[in-house]
Amino acid sequence: MRRYPADCEEELILDETPLKIRPIRADDLAEELRFVHELSPDTAYHRFFSPVRELSAEMAWRFTHVDYHSTMALIALDRTQSPANMVGVARYAATAGASCCEFAVTITDRWQHRGLGLVLMQRLITYARRKGYSSMVGAVMQDNMGMRQLATRLGFRAHTDPEDPATLQMRLALEAEEKVATAAG
Ligand SMILES: CC(C)(COP(=O)(O)OP(=O)(O)OC[C@H]1O[C@@H](n2cnc3c(N)ncnc32)[C@H](O)[C@@H]1OP(=O)(O)O)[C@@H](O)C(=O)NCCC(=O)NCCS
């Protein structure tokens, strides 16, 4: 496992609530299980594309043991709770070609529509760009208007998948801004 990127830790106030954003750690495993257990069926279905109610031990391990390069997850903790509890997560995993990564994002139900999905995805995109990925992709169900809107707002373009009409592939080019500026100048 690579070095924990402490420079991604951030305290912020969102919707009048103090939150901490930080990279996930191996000791978040129990909290990751609780987070998924408390999702509504609808939220879990949109995230996992199946009626998942609990994470398997293998998935919980994998989700919390990231290497901060080919796999990364940023979590948001509600600091008004004691202990602070996880209310959202945005993650990516490198795809086979390695220059592209695939995202997934989940916000716990009571925190949806409060700007947290946008905040976590913006940070994840910045991190992936810094790591040199050239694009980010993600599968989104056609009926998931919330995620479609959020992805569009972040600059993703939607592509239909001929093999799976129920799903849209969202894609964002991540070319480093400096490279674009150099090419133009
Ligand atoms: C989709 C999801 C990540 C959005 O997160 P969120 O924190 O609720 O979104 P935000 O509050 O940051 O919204 C940001 C923008 O996204 C859009 N948006 C979010 N939810 C929306 C909804 N239900 N309908 C329409 N637009 C929506 C809006 O443009 C919004 O901007 P605005 O508030 O200025 O209108 C969240 O609802 C979720 O976890 N859903 C279940 C899991 C899932 O679908 N994951 C995606 C597949 S990996």
Side-chain angles (χ1 to χ4, degrees), residues 46 105 107 112-115 117-118 144 146-147 149-150 153:
H46 277 135
V105 53
I107 307 300
Q112 289 177 11
H113 312 297
R114 295 166 74 179
L118 183 67
N144 190 351
M147 189 63 224
Q149 290 279 355
L150 171 56
R153 185 156 165 194

Side-chain angles (χ1 to χ4, degrees), residues 2 8 13 16 25 35 37 40-41 46-47 49 52 59 61-62 73 96 99 103 106 110 129 156 160 168 171 182-183:
R2 297 187 191 214
C8 294
I13 307 280
E16 298 177 4
R25 302 187 306 237
F35 173 76
H37 175 75
S40 68
H46 277 135
R47 163 64 180 89
F49 292 57
V52 166
M59 271 176 103
W61 193 94
R62 195 156 40 83
S99 69
F103 77 86
T106 317
R110 71 178 184 288
R129 184 176 278 131
F156 283 81
T160 47
L168 283 173
R171 173 175 290 272
T182 309

Side-chain angles (χ1 to χ4, degrees), residues 154-183:
L154 288 161
F156 283 81
R157 296 265 174 88
H159 303 271
T160 47
D161 181 349
E163 285 175 19
D164 183 2
T167 302
L168 283 173
Q169 281 293 332
M170 308 300 298
R171 173 175 290 272
L172 178 70
L174 296 177
E175 274 84 36
E177 275 138 33
E178 313 84 73
K179 259 197 219 163
V180 175
T182 309

Side-chain angles (χ1 to χ4, degrees), residues 14 35 39-40 42-49 87-89 91 103-109 111-121 138-141 144-154:
L14 194 62
F35 173 76
L39 297 177
S40 68
D42 197 47
T43 291
Y45 193 73
H46 277 135
R47 163 64 180 89
F48 296 106
F49 292 57
V87 292
V89 57
R91 60 177 64 250
F103 77 86
V105 53
T106 317
I107 307 300
T108 202
D109 291 77
W111 261 93
Q112 289 177 11
H113 312 297
R114 295 166 74 179
L116 185 54
L118 183 67
V119 164
L120 283 176
M121 282 299 294
V140 176
M141 286 177 148
N144 190 351
M145 295 316 291
M147 189 63 224
R148 287 175 62 176
Q149 290 279 355
L150 171 56
T152 303
R153 185 156 165 194
L154 288 161

